[in-house]
Amino acid sequence: MLTGAELLAKVKELGDVSKSELVRACGYVSTKKDGTERLNFTAFYESLLNAKGVDFGAAPKAGKAGRKLSFNTKIQFNGNLMVGKAYTAMLDLKPGDEFEIKLGRKQIRLVPLGAEDEDV
């Protein structure tokens, strides 16, 4: 089975042939128990995507699948402003990190102590 640059070169070389012939020529063929051949289209296309730089089978990033961050929060009953773990992990913040609170017209910005403030 061809992979990487060899696979891309072979696909380009074969040009306009049928999909079955393309898969067969690139070596994505296996033999069933009854002796007939089986074309492995899925493996072929996954290898083709990988050769083109698409990381198809990559492990998912940390966090829960399907949950999206809303970037909204509420002031708690005691006046505290909660910033969730997902946000602090996204910014690689550690316990004990300190910030200066900058109040804007419609925003609150947290600027790490010692960092230069960028006006956005």
Side-chain angles (χ1 to χ4, degrees):
M1 292 192 296
L2 299 177
T3 58
E6 295 173 334
L7 178 62
L8 291 174
K10 186 68 167 181
V11 169
K12 192 171 188 175
E13 172 192 320
L14 292 173
D16 194 25
V17 297
S18 72
K19 292 176 185 153
S20 298
E21 290 176 34
L22 186 61
V23 171
R24 189 177 286 112
C26 292
Y28 288 85
V29 181
S30 59
T31 307
K32 296 181 185 178
K33 290 181 182 178
D34 63 0
T36 60
E37 89 177 1
R38 177 181 187 275
L39 298 176
N40 300 317
F41 284 94
T42 302
F44 169 75
Y45 285 116
E46 284 180 0
S47 293
L48 189 60
L49 285 171
N50 284 334
K52 289 186 176 189
V54 177
D55 201 8
F56 185 71
K61 294 183 179 179
K64 295 184 179 181
R67 290 191 68 186
K68 304 266 189 256
L69 297 177
S70 67
F71 293 93
N72 293 324
T73 188
K74 293 179 182 176
I75 303 296
Q76 295 179 338
F77 71 95
N78 60 0
N80 289 344
L81 179 65
M82 176 69 74
V83 178
K85 183 176 181 177
Y87 300 101
T88 58
M90 192 167 84
L91 296 171
D92 196 30
L93 301 176
K94 306 285 184 260
D97 287 351
E98 294 183 355
F99 296 89
E100 183 179 353
I101 300 170
K102 297 277 187 169
L103 300 177
R105 200 170 129 220
K106 290 187 175 185
Q107 64 187 355
I108 297 173
R109 290 185 303 164
L110 301 176
V111 180
L113 286 179
E116 291 186 23
D117 186 16
E118 298 176 4
D119 288 329
V120 180

